[in-house]
Structure formats: C-alpha cells, structure tokens
Amino acid sequence: MPAITELEEKAMPTIQLTAVEKTLKRLLLDVAQYIESSQSSPRRPAGAAETSSIVLRFTGGWVRDKLLGVDSQDIDVAINNMTGYQFALKMQEYLRTGDNARKYDSRDPEFSQDSPAKPGAPRKGNQFEGLGSLHKIEANPEKSKHLETVTTRVFGLAIDLVNLRKEHYTEDSRNPQMEFGTPEEDALRRDATVNAMFYNLNTSTVEDFTEQGLKDMQLRVIRTPMEPHQTFMDDPLRVLRLIRFASRLGYTIDPETELAMNDDDVRTALRIKISRERIGMELEKMLKGPDPHAALSLIDRLNLYLTIFPEPETATNLRPHMDQWKRAFDFVEFFMDTPETQSSGDDSLQTVRSFLLRDVRDRYNAWLLVTIFPWASVPTEDHVNPGSKPGLPLSTIVVKAGIKAPNKDCEIITSACRNASAIARLQREAMTQTEVPKSPDRTTAYLRRDTLGMAIHRWGPTWRSQVLLALLLDLFSQTPDELSNDSNSVLDGYAVFLRYIREWDLLEAYLMKPLLNGNELAAALKAKPGPWMGEALELVMAWQLRNPGVTDTKGAIEEVEKHRESLRIQ
C-alpha cells in the first residue's frame, strides 16, 4: 500500500477522481445548485449553518484511502446546512425533473470500466437507474449509533448522506446530543486524525481541519483528534475501530492513545455501553482484514480479551486460558505464510498447510478458531452450564453472548470443539501405523478406512477447520518448554493423519450417501421401518468404506442382517 512520504509545507495533496467519481461529484453539485435556485428549498433545521450556499464534502475513510492510492466503493457525503435525508429527497426530485437524468448517461468506456455497476440507460420509465432506493437509518444512541444517515447507491457506489455535526455530552448522560456543526467540529469528533480529512467538492481540495491527519499518515500513526481518554469514554467502540484501522493500514498507535485504550474505565464502558453485535462486527472486520495477527496482538496487549469475550453468566467461575494464546495466534500467522517462504525441509508444516488452508474461508476459520482458543482450551469437565442447550461447548456460549456471532461461525466453533478430542485420538492412532494398510478392512490396523471415513462423515464439510483447532489444542496445551521439544512431532503426527485421509480417498467422505435408503433396506430385510434404520444405514456406509467401488447392495444388506438382533429389527 503506498504511503504519503512527502508533504509540501503549505500545499495540500490532490486527489485524482475516477470517471465514476467525477460523474457523482457533478451530480451532487448540480443537485446543490438545483436546491439553491428552487422556490421550495428544504426548511433549514435548527442549528444548521446560516448560509444559502450548500457545501458538499467527501469525508473520512474515502479520503484516507484515495490519498493512499486505494480506490473505495463507499463514500460518505457531508452537507453543511441540511440533513442527508433532505438532500437525498431533493436529489430524487431533481433526477425526475425534465431531462436532468440524461446528463449523467455516461456511456464512455472509462466510465463503464470504473463503475462497479454499469448504469446503462439512465431512465426506465420515470426511474433513474443510476440511483438506488433511499434507506433512512435512524440514530440509536443507546447502541452508540449517534447519527441519522441516509444510504443509497449511485452509479454502483455505496453512498451515505449526512449533515456536518458536533457532539455535546452532559454529565448525567452517556449519550451525546447530536447537533449541526462546522467542518472543524465534525473533524474533531471523529475517531482518528487519518479519518478526519475531507475532500471539498466545491473547491476540489483536501481539507485537514485537525492539522494532524496528513502528518499522521506520513508518520503511519493512529491517534485521536481530541484527548484520547475522553474520546473513548464518549464512544468506547472507537477502541476497537482504532485497532482495526491500525491492523488494516499497518500503522502504530500513538502511545498516549494506546495508554487510554488500556484504561480500566474505558474497558468497562466498552463492555456495558456498546452492543455485542457492534463489537462482533468490528472483530469480524479485523479477522477478514489484511492483518488479523496485528489486531489480535493489540487485543492481547490492551487486555481486551475478556471485554470482548466475557465469561458466561451461567459460568462466572470460569476464566479463559490466556497463557498460551499469543503462542497460538503467532503460530497461525506463521502457518499462513506461503510454502515458498518456508524452509524446504519443513515437509510436515507444508503438508498440513496444504490440506487445511485451501481458500479465503479456511483462512478466516483459522483466525476465528484461534481467537476463541483461550475458551476452547478450558477443560470440558470445568464447564457447568445449567439451563443451556445440552452439550453446547463453552466457546459457543461465549461467542453467542459476547459478539452475537452469526450461525455459520457458531456451527464451526461448535463442531470444532465437540470433535477436537476425537480428531486428536484418530491422529494418534494414525501415528502408530508405519504404512497405509493395503486392505481397507484390515482388522489388525490401529486405524481403519471405515472408522476414519465415518468420522469425517460426522464432522461434515468444515472438518479441515476442525482439524486445525485440534492441532492448536495439541500444540499449545503444553508448557513452553514441552512445546519447544515436541512441536515437530505433533506436526508430524497431523501430517501423517492427513496423508491417510488423502490416500484412502476420504477428503469428501462427508458427502457420502448409503447405497440404499431406509425404506429400501427395510424392504430387503422384510422388516418394518423404525428407529433402527439410522444406525443400520451407518452400517451400510461403513461397509461401503471397507469395499470401495462396490455398487451391489447384497453385501451391505448381509452386513446389516448380522446385526439384526442388536438393532432390534422386527
């Protein structure tokens, strides 16, 4: 990512707009002119700037990213003297008036190439295709959502429209009064100086009202525009946002700012004031960002783990095992490196990586699972959870309550925690064998194809991520001294285990189906359908695993017949 390395003493840097951004800028300024010349201009809200001239600014992250040479499809637009909703309604009115919409029917190749959603013809009936529906998002101070905004799509870009504002806090309220503000006041209320710069559409210039944003981009530093402790007490979510920005941009956090982030009062405010959903959203963005390791390192250093993942209300006597967490996420960072960056002799590491990290989702799962590692490593026998769903792992309870994790993430965590000990046991069994048995049904082998295949069938499509958690628990349930002596043997064991899965063609065993269904099996056995059928069909699939390639159902039926009495088949 390019960085600002030189700043002229007085001149501000310029921003090069794409063709789509130029057209958006022209549209917004034309709407502003339309409003100013209209006989029915919106009523100026209380506190709005006493001026008839509308000044529009692109704000925040878009400005930062453009200065770094990174294009962004999300643009926040600030308006000086009316609400975003008032401006958006006037934009709709303008585009439905006469032939105004045709002015923005840009069909040139540059526009089409830059636009994430080619607008094509500007009108369909009376509807301008370049403008999406307006969505008004009300302020919700109780959840630290202080701003009323309007979001829409224009030429495929995600646009938020909002007025310039300032925050006013009272001693007896934790939520701010939002008022119209000046550009300076709006800049100073933002979370970081690098996010507080504007691009003035009227003058085509960059504005740095904090007088620190451009300098901090040069220094690669994250700091708050105002005194940091009060900034975080006003809105504690800013703590997590700054961690996310630091990890995304590769910046360091200013020492005074970091000291305030590590304050007990700030941590308490973050825990009780911010909704768990918003905390979860920030964490997910960190884990899906370019440097999850940096984000987890900051969470660890700032003692924020229990703030993000507090102990369940039903098990307040339990604490996460933090002593090995840094080693675990350091290992995942090392594990994520491409094979070319590793020594050629580290065959086991490369083998395990090639099996477990195939795509972006596998990598996200790896960071997700190492994030809950401190809770996953709490011994199961220590977990008492009255009133919860029976068998729900402690880690799942924590992420459901702590970050309101989506169902897909909860399912992966649940499966990984439930199956970790079984995976570790099968891995150890694989290590006792010196070679893959030539016969799939060889009974003298410690590990058999049918045993392993049925296990993967139960584990489901996320079995690779589940194996990774088992590996982490095996590696880091040891003391540092034990780990230094034994880590290679643990990796060797998992490499052997995964090679068995490949050699036995079990990578997709979770997709396997029985040769015949329950009704067909009941008919073949001349029996009544009943509860026995589930276990009987598992016997059928185990027989299939011992007899790969055989499609005749006779042998499978005979296998079930042998267990007729124990299955209570009538």
Side-chain angles (χ1 to χ4, degrees):
M1 179 180 292
I4 295 179
T5 55
E6 293 182 5
L7 295 173
E8 297 183 19
E9 194 164 320
K10 294 184 179 179
M12 298 293 281
T14 59
I15 287 179
Q16 298 298 318
L17 301 181
T18 66
V20 178
E21 291 165 345
K22 289 176 183 177
T23 305
L24 173 64
K25 174 185 174 183
R26 182 161 57 92
L27 168 62
L28 295 173
L29 290 174
D30 287 349
V31 173
Q33 185 178 17
Y34 170 77
I35 295 171
E36 290 171 358
S37 61
S38 173
Q39 297 297 319
S40 59
S41 297
R43 183 175 59 85
R44 183 179 294 113
E50 293 292 335
T51 175
S52 60
S53 299
I54 298 173
V55 180
L56 303 172
R57 293 173 170 88
F58 292 163
T59 69
W62 180 89
V63 180
R64 178 201 66 223
D65 288 347
K66 293 293 285 191
L67 290 172
L68 291 170
V70 178
D71 283 333
S72 174
Q73 307 301 330
D74 299 309
I75 305 179
D76 293 347
V77 182
I79 307 141
N80 66 321
N81 64 355
M82 69 181 64
T83 68
Y85 189 58
Q86 288 175 319
F87 187 89
L89 291 176
K90 280 295 182 180
M91 181 162 60
Q92 281 186 330
E93 178 184 303
Y94 168 78
L95 290 169
R96 291 169 179 166
T97 300
D99 289 333
N100 286 338
R102 297 191 183 279
K103 300 176 185 178
Y104 314 99
D105 181 16
S106 221
R107 298 172 185 264
D108 61 88
E110 183 184 6
F111 183 95
S112 297
Q113 183 176 359
D114 287 342
S115 176
K118 301 176 185 178
R123 296 175 74 92
K124 186 175 182 180
N126 289 324
Q127 180 64 41
F128 176 63
E129 287 192 348
L131 177 65
S133 301
L134 302 182
H135 302 280
K136 186 177 180 181
I137 303 173
E138 302 288 353
N140 186 354
E142 289 297 323
K143 293 189 175 181
S144 241
K145 177 64 177 173
H146 306 307
L147 309 175
E148 175 195 285
T149 61
V150 171
T151 181
T152 187
R153 297 193 72 82
V154 184
F155 307 134
L157 300 171
I159 308 298
D160 281 0
L161 298 160
V162 67
N163 56 276
L164 291 172
R165 62 269 187 199
K166 62 181 177 181
E167 296 173 349
H168 174 65
Y169 288 84
T170 59
E171 292 183 2
D172 59 347
S173 175
R174 68 187 187 187
N175 297 316
Q177 304 280 332
M178 297 305 300
E179 303 171 0
F180 272 82
T182 65
E184 293 88 346
E185 290 168 333
D186 191 284
L188 290 172
R189 56 159 291 280
R190 292 176 179 264
D191 49 19
T193 57
V194 297
N195 295 336
M197 292 175 287
F198 302 145
Y199 174 74
N200 188 313
L201 275 63
N202 300 64
T203 62
S204 301
T205 58
V206 174
E207 299 171 329
D208 183 9
F209 290 103
T210 70
E211 300 183 352
Q212 192 65 44
L214 289 166
K215 294 176 184 177
D216 284 343
M217 289 187 73
Q218 184 181 21
L219 296 171
R220 301 175 64 82
V221 166
I222 296 288
R223 84 175 81 235
T224 57
M226 301 287 281
E227 193 279 321
H229 184 271
Q230 189 60 50
T231 296
F232 298 133
M233 292 301 293
D234 288 346
D235 185 356
L237 188 65
R238 289 167 174 160
V239 171
L240 299 185
R241 286 175 56 83
L242 294 198
I243 290 174
R244 174 162 63 87
F245 290 129
S247 64
R248 175 187 166 188
L249 299 171
Y251 286 11
T252 58
I253 297 178
D254 163 67
E256 183 184 1
T257 301
E258 183 168 325
L259 184 64
M261 295 167 76
N262 201 11
D263 181 80
D264 285 339
D265 290 339
V266 171
R267 278 193 292 270
T268 299
L270 177 59
R271 185 170 63 251
I272 66 175
K273 182 176 180 179
I274 305 301
S275 75
R276 307 316 297 186
E277 291 90 347
R278 298 198 77 196
I279 290 175
M281 288 170 61
E282 286 297 326
L283 182 67
E284 182 179 4
K285 290 175 182 178
M286 294 177 203
L287 300 185
K288 290 182 175 178
D291 195 353
H293 179 267
L296 296 184
S297 296
L298 283 167
I299 288 171
D300 185 38
R301 189 164 80 227
L302 296 170
N303 301 301
L304 287 168
Y305 191 84
L306 264 174
T307 304
I308 298 171
F309 297 107
E311 65 277 5
E313 293 181 0
T314 53
T316 55
N317 60 316
L318 297 180
R319 289 292 183 275
H321 291 183
M322 302 298 299
D323 53 333
Q324 293 294 321
W325 188 43
K326 185 178 186 307
R327 286 175 173 267
F329 65 70
D330 282 349
F331 172 80
V332 170
E333 169 75 359
F334 175 71
F335 189 64
M336 289 286 183
D337 288 345
T338 56
E340 289 75 18
T341 65
Q342 304 297 329
S343 63
S344 58
D346 206 352
D347 292 336
S348 292
L349 182 66
Q350 292 186 33
T351 296
V352 174
R353 183 193 299 113
S354 67
F355 275 97
L356 303 187
L357 295 179
R358 300 164 300 160
D359 52 32
V360 172
R361 182 68 207 193
D362 283 344
R363 296 172 75 87
Y364 172 73
N365 289 347
W367 287 115
L368 175 68
L369 291 171
V370 79
T371 299
I372 58 92
F373 174 86
W375 281 113
S377 56
V378 174
T380 305
E381 56 268 25
D382 291 347
H383 169 35
V384 179
N385 185 41
S388 293
K389 182 180 177 181
L392 199 63
L394 177 61
S395 297
T396 307
I397 297 168
V398 168
V399 298
K400 277 180 171 287
I403 60 173
K404 301 298 181 184
N407 289 338
K408 190 170 185 179
D409 288 356
C410 290
E411 289 168 3
I412 290 169
I413 292 169
T414 298
S415 298
C417 292
R418 281 178 175 166
N419 297 323
S421 59
I423 291 169
R425 175 178 54 79
L426 289 173
Q427 176 271 137
R428 287 190 292 270
E429 290 179 6
M431 277 295 287
T432 64
Q433 297 178 178
T434 57
E435 62 181 10
V436 177
K438 293 183 173 59
S439 172
D441 62 347
R442 178 177 171 182
T443 56
T444 56
Y446 288 96
L447 182 64
R448 304 187 337 178
R449 186 175 189 268
D450 58 341
T451 303
L452 186 51
M454 291 303 294
I456 293 174
H457 186 268
R458 288 190 299 273
W459 300 339
T462 62
W463 69 265
R464 297 170 192 262
S465 296
Q466 298 174 43
V467 170
L468 178 58
L469 179 63
L471 169 62
L472 293 174
L473 291 171
D474 267 1
L475 278 172
F476 301 106
S477 61
Q478 308 167 80
T479 66
D481 289 340
E482 290 172 333
L483 178 60
S484 62
N485 296 325
D486 200 38
S487 60
N488 287 337
S489 64
V490 173
L491 281 169
D492 290 344
Y494 277 84
V496 169
F497 173 64
L498 292 166
R499 290 190 189 108
Y500 269 87
I501 294 173
R502 180 181 61 197
E503 294 298 322
W504 275 338
D505 193 22
L506 297 174
L507 294 171
E508 297 185 345
Y510 59 88
L511 296 173
M512 183 178 61
K513 297 184 182 301
L515 281 173
L516 64 174
N517 63 38
N519 289 330
E520 292 169 339
L521 182 59
L525 295 171
K526 296 182 173 55
K528 296 179 180 180
W532 59 269
M533 293 168 63
E535 191 174 347
L537 290 173
E538 289 193 357
L539 288 173
V540 170
M541 287 189 287
W543 179 88
Q544 291 171 226
L545 287 163
R546 293 192 298 273
N547 299 273
V550 178
T551 57
D552 187 347
T553 61
K554 181 180 178 181
I557 295 168
E558 290 175 350
E559 179 66 23
V560 175
E561 187 68 55
K562 294 176 186 177
H563 298 83
R564 190 176 190 113
E565 184 176 348
S566 63
L567 292 174
R568 298 181 180 179
I569 301 175
Q570 298 179 354

